[in-house]
Amino acid sequence: MAEHLGLHTVGDLLHHYPRRYEERGQLTHLADLPMDEHVTVVAQVADARLHTFASSRAPRGKSQRLEVTITDGSGRLQLVFFGAGVHKPHKELLPGTRAMFAGKVSVFNRRLQLAHPAYELLRGDAEETVETWAGALIPIYPATAKLESWKIGKALQTVLPSAQEAADPLPESLREGRGLVTLPEALLKIHRPHTKADIEEARARLKWDEAFVLQVALARRRHTDAQLPAVPRRPRPDGILAGFDDRLPFTLTEGQRKVSEEIFADLATDHPMHRLLQGEVGSGKTMVALRAMLAVVDAGGQAAMLAPTEVLAQQHHRSVTEMMGELSQGGMLGGAENATKVVLLTGSMGAAARRQALLDLATGEAGIVIGTHALIEDKVQFHDLGLVVVDEQHRFGVEQRDALRGKGKQPPHLLVMTATPIPRTVAMTVFGDLETSVLDQLPAGRSPIASHVVPAADKPHFLARAWERVREEVEKGHQAYVVCPRIGDEEDGAKAKRKSPEDEAEKRPPLAVLDTAEQLARGPLAGLRVEVLHGRMQPDDKDAVMRRFAAGEVDVLVATTVIEVGVNVPNATVMVIMDADRFGVSQLHQLRGRVGRGSAPGLCLLVTEMPEASPARQRLNAVASTLDGFELSRIDLEQRREGDVLGQAQSGTRSSLRMLAVIDDEEVIAEAREEATRIVAADPDLERLPALRTALDALLDEEREQYLEKG
């Protein structure tokens, strides 16, 4: 159990909840079985036939194959046993027998089948099975090939009595106030329910546990952070921020003003700000972040902005110096008198430039530094680091944020920006230690983006029309992006490794930048200036291509997702995404945000060969139908299940949520957050709630503890 399911203690096993329940009187829907998954079904044998045939091992026709058909009223499923493995099932699986079968669903001769499934007969009268499957509801556990659901079930029967000793983490008053059952009772009901109401009661209670313990951990984080000292940073009335605002050629949106005020209020306190700034693609987050950085420079501090890639760091540096004009030329001829220096620090800089940048940071000459992970290295010393801005949080490990925080004399203020809108509850769960600000208006002058799905396989003429549209835009003096999932110079070995069922169905590797660029330049886009951009190019080459594209010397840029984040070329009006089904929903939304950044309307074409009814096509239709990133992030989550969002992406361990569904249980999470904040405020060390402390320690085992520490 430890090896296959990560279950080490009796507690772990008790918290390994059934995925669903089979009813003895009803049978599973064989019609809805998923491909390539381990399934457990309860069904009845309809017929069994033994065939003998000739094979290489037994040329005289002595090989045996047993084919058993099982049915559940909704559909039929073929089971196959071979060789010596046929004898036992041939004796036991007689027509009319009911059993649980577990195995991996595959397709043979266009029919679903289970090859060599494990099975457990349900005799209904024998002592043991009645004991094991007490009640009409049979729990089906998340299982693996080595550990079938019923083995887990039997193990649970053995340890269930000790559920009585489970320490209850919920404070008595809270549990009674919300009418929740006790923990031992919940564990008993989840594993041995007699009615569906039992399951509901148990789930309601166990969901609360998860939400509450997690929110208490986050509330304690916030509480501890609020005790940390920080230097208050208030802008001067006649300082660099005022000078910057005077130069702005446009007025800030209502949203930008509101969020800026929240940030300035945080910066003025003597505790470190921890704020998450969510903004739609192109809502002007960079502007808000820059004003915060200038406020800190005004107050005598320094600000650092971390970008996930060099291309992006260079770009931020370019746009910040452009926006600031002479205010960014501190100490230089032509610089304004209250100007500061804005330096760039990346891994691929030349030694001399790097030395100068490090010097400017150490002396305080540079008020703003923009860079990649290179900023975190030991050699980098700050004069007085007051604010850290992290761009695109989901690309950026928690450890790195922490390392940068350690560079200040006192903890610096922290602003995390993300353009991937996160539904409120996920923000409360994943970034529960950050206060959240949302920018949801687009700045004036931004154009709407029209999105369309181009079904290349069903309607090839649509694809031809897409290339015509690209030509038309270029003729009007605009530019275009073509995005592909792969670069195209990989070794073949990499392609052979993992094939998902979709790949198998298509028998075609995803389209590559290098091949596509060549085909377009020779074919539908002949005569246009086509260039490529991808992650394996030298940083200088990448930058040169981006500069040429920005300057309008390139008509069509064929690229991988390196352009997903932050690339800003207002003259680019059309984007064609090849094999769009290979990208995630939020990724497509991010990519699409690269067009329509100027006054001309944007167009995004999602090219796919997936058939009409496939989930991939439904996903693309969803992206095409709305420009609302929050709506899309909900769709995305519902399709990917929260585990990916919370678990892997955040701490690398598996998601600690077993019962809670982040999207559906919005109320539980919001209420748990309030309760947790209240309890921690009254008793930060939880001295009066020992059982809650125990549960916290279990949740925050070493890894998660470090992860939250660094969060």
Side-chain angles (χ1 to χ4, degrees):
M1 288 191 167
E3 189 185 338
H4 295 291
L5 293 167
L7 307 174
H8 301 277
T9 64
V10 171
D12 289 345
L13 182 57
L14 287 172
H15 287 291
H16 187 72
Y17 308 131
R19 177 180 286 161
R20 56 190 171 79
Y21 300 86
E22 282 302 347
E23 293 186 54
R24 302 193 83 150
Q26 285 182 344
L27 299 165
T28 359
H29 284 293
L30 292 181
D32 320 332
L33 288 181
M35 278 300 296
D36 269 346
E37 269 194 37
H38 278 284
V39 296
T40 304
V41 295
V42 176
Q44 192 156 9
V45 178
D47 64 54
R49 285 193 297 277
L50 193 59
H51 302 272
T52 46
F53 60 96
S55 71
S56 55
R57 289 212 199 108
R60 292 215 187 79
K62 288 282 196 284
S63 276
Q64 290 191 310
R65 181 174 80 239
L66 175 65
E67 287 177 6
V68 179
T69 309
I70 57 173
T71 175
D72 67 350
S74 80
R76 300 169 84 81
L77 181 65
Q78 189 92 36
L79 313 179
V80 212
F81 300 89
F82 293 102
V86 304
H87 306 308
K88 185 167 175 270
H90 189 215
K91 286 209 299 284
E92 294 186 332
L93 297 178
L94 305 170
T97 311
R98 295 196 50 206
M100 297 170 84
F101 301 93
K104 197 170 186 179
V105 184
S106 56
V107 170
F108 182 72
N109 278 344
R110 312 193 100 178
R111 292 175 44 203
L112 292 182
Q113 71 165 24
L114 291 181
H116 277 285
Y119 62 88
E120 175 90 348
L121 302 180
L122 296 175
R123 299 200 177 78
D125 52 5
E127 252 335 89
E128 185 236 18
T129 27
V130 171
E131 254 317 285
T132 317
W133 315 118
L137 295 164
I138 300 172
I140 304 287
Y141 290 94
T144 66
K146 299 271 188 297
L147 262 181
E148 293 95 6
S149 170
W150 54 84
K151 289 189 183 155
I152 299 170
K154 285 179 175 167
L156 265 154
Q157 296 304 325
T158 313
V159 299
L160 210 48
S162 60
Q164 290 307 331
E165 297 150 37
D168 198 328
L170 289 193
E172 190 86 355
S173 56
L174 189 157
R175 188 176 63 69
E176 288 174 353
R178 297 198 172 266
L180 298 168
V181 298
T182 62
L183 183 57
E185 191 180 339
L187 289 171
L188 218 61
K189 286 184 166 171
I190 201 87
H191 292 298
R192 290 183 92 165
H194 289 285
T195 61
K196 290 198 171 147
D198 283 353
I199 301 172
E200 284 315 301
E201 278 187 5
R203 281 198 171 141
R205 160 66 213 240
L206 295 166
K207 273 179 184 178
W208 249 94
D209 275 18
E210 274 176 27
F212 179 70
V213 175
L214 184 59
Q215 291 300 342
V216 167
L218 293 164
R220 290 186 70 190
R221 264 308 303 142
R222 289 195 300 277
H223 185 81
T224 327
D225 283 345
Q227 313 303 314
L228 287 175
V231 182
R233 312 276 178 177
R234 295 184 184 81
R236 298 201 310 273
D238 56 348
I240 189 167
L241 177 62
F244 176 76
D245 284 350
D246 292 344
R247 304 188 39 182
L248 278 184
F250 51 83
T251 53
L252 298 175
T253 65
E254 188 50 41
Q256 284 174 318
R257 272 209 299 280
K258 187 176 98 345
V259 171
S260 287
E261 278 160 21
E262 293 175 349
I263 291 173
F264 291 153
D266 283 357
L267 288 174
T269 64
D270 49 13
H271 299 298
M273 160 170 87
H274 289 109
R275 194 166 276 283
L276 174 70
L277 172 57
Q278 299 192 57
E280 270 300 350
V281 180
S283 54
K285 293 185 298 297
T286 315
M287 172 61 75
V288 171
L290 177 54
R291 293 186 71 235
M293 296 200 291
L294 294 175
V296 169
V297 173
D298 257 354
Q302 289 170 297
M305 184 177 208
L306 275 170
T309 64
E310 295 214 349
V311 170
L312 200 57
Q314 284 160 340
Q315 189 158 339
H316 275 318
H317 182 251
R318 253 201 312 278
S319 59
V320 164
T321 42
E322 278 164 21
M323 286 199 267
M324 287 174 62
E326 74 247 24
L327 293 173
S328 66
Q329 294 161 359
M332 296 183 233
L333 279 173
E337 62 193 65
N338 52 1
T340 185
K341 247 190 190 178
V342 179
V343 299
L344 176 68
L345 195 59
T346 62
S348 64
M349 282 167 77
R354 192 180 165 80
R355 254 202 315 278
Q356 185 58 51
L358 289 173
L359 188 67
D360 289 342
L361 282 178
T363 59
E365 189 87 351
I368 294 180
V369 57
I370 295 172
T372 52
H373 308 327
L375 275 180
I376 298 167
E377 290 172 12
D378 295 340
K379 291 195 277 299
V380 183
Q381 294 296 325
F382 287 88
H383 178 62
D384 177 13
L385 180 61
L387 169 68
V388 177
V389 178
V390 180
D391 190 17
E392 287 305 328
Q393 149 69 23
H394 57 287
R395 302 284 176 91
F396 212 81
V398 210
E399 287 79 13
Q400 291 139 317
R401 277 197 284 170
D402 198 46
L404 197 62
R405 253 192 207 165
K407 299 264 182 202
K409 297 191 175 75
Q410 286 194 321
H413 298 281
L414 175 70
L415 180 65
V416 174
M417 299 199 294
T418 171
T420 313
I422 306 170
R424 186 172 135 252
T425 46
V426 180
M428 283 198 298
T429 318
V430 180
F431 300 114
D433 57 333
L434 302 176
E435 299 298 329
T436 309
S437 299
V438 179
L439 273 179
D440 44 14
Q441 288 166 292
L442 288 188
R446 267 311 176 76
S447 308
I449 306 172
S451 307
H452 301 286
V453 178
V454 177
D458 320 352
K459 303 182 176 155
H461 57 286
F462 274 37
L463 184 57
R465 176 75 189 108
W467 300 126
E468 278 170 33
R469 281 291 290 121
V470 171
R471 274 188 163 318
E472 287 164 18
E473 287 297 315
V474 172
E475 275 156 22
K476 288 187 209 157
H478 296 304
Q479 292 157 280
Y481 296 101
V482 177
V483 181
C484 305
R486 271 189 331 124
I487 297 176
D489 57 0
E490 298 94 336
E491 297 303 304
D492 287 342
K495 282 186 295 205
K497 266 206 294 261
R498 255 191 76 237
K499 286 220 169 79
S500 69
E502 280 98 351
D503 291 353
E504 285 294 350
E506 292 166 0
K507 288 284 184 277
R508 163 174 90 61
L511 288 170
V513 168
L514 302 175
D515 316 342
T516 307
E518 200 180 324
Q519 287 158 9
L520 291 176
R522 280 207 313 263
L525 302 183
L528 302 186
R529 297 167 299 176
V530 178
E531 294 218 18
V532 299
L533 178 69
H534 58 75
R536 268 199 233 116
M537 288 161 60
Q538 288 303 314
D540 296 351
D541 299 347
K542 276 193 247 185
D543 204 39
V545 172
M546 270 320 300
R547 274 174 205 260
R548 285 202 297 280
F549 188 63
E553 295 159 21
V554 175
D555 299 320
V556 180
L557 186 62
V558 182
T560 55
T561 53
V562 288
I563 62 157
E564 171 188 353
V565 192
V567 172
N568 186 16
V569 179
N571 189 40
T573 53
V574 56
M575 174 177 286
V576 182
I577 302 181
M578 307 304 290
D579 282 340
D581 45 89
R582 314 265 178 143
F583 299 98
V585 171
S586 51
Q587 209 175 16
L588 290 169
H589 183 58
Q590 282 281 12
L591 285 166
R592 167 170 68 183
R594 305 293 127 223
V595 295
R597 297 176 81 89
S599 49
L603 172 66
C604 176
L605 302 172
L606 307 167
V607 180
T608 176
E609 293 187 357
M610 295 305 262
E612 185 109 36
S614 60
R617 268 289 276 285
Q618 290 160 6
R619 216 170 56 223
L620 295 179
N621 291 339
V623 174
S625 66
T626 174
L627 287 172
D628 178 349
F630 285 93
E631 182 50 38
L632 287 175
S633 68
R634 284 190 87 98
I635 295 171
D636 194 18
L637 264 181
E638 278 157 13
Q639 296 199 328
R640 284 190 313 169
R641 302 210 297 275
E642 300 77 20
D644 317 357
V645 180
L646 292 182
Q648 296 333 93
Q650 287 306 321
S651 61
T653 46
R654 63 200 178 100
S655 161
S656 61
L657 300 188
R658 303 199 178 94
M659 211 25 114
L660 207 59
V662 174
I663 290 271
D664 305 338
D665 298 320
E666 197 157 340
E667 282 90 65
V668 177
I669 293 173
E671 289 173 12
R673 181 176 166 127
E674 280 170 29
E675 292 275 10
T677 313
R678 200 171 52 72
I679 282 172
V680 170
D683 180 7
D685 294 332
L686 307 179
E687 282 165 3
R688 295 192 287 284
L689 299 166
L692 177 54
R693 286 184 67 159
T694 313
L696 260 187
D697 297 340
L699 170 75
L700 304 178
D701 50 29
E702 283 309 295
E703 259 175 314
R704 297 216 36 116
E705 180 68 88
Q706 285 170 359
Y707 151 58
L708 282 174
E709 275 306 313
K710 301 220 164 87

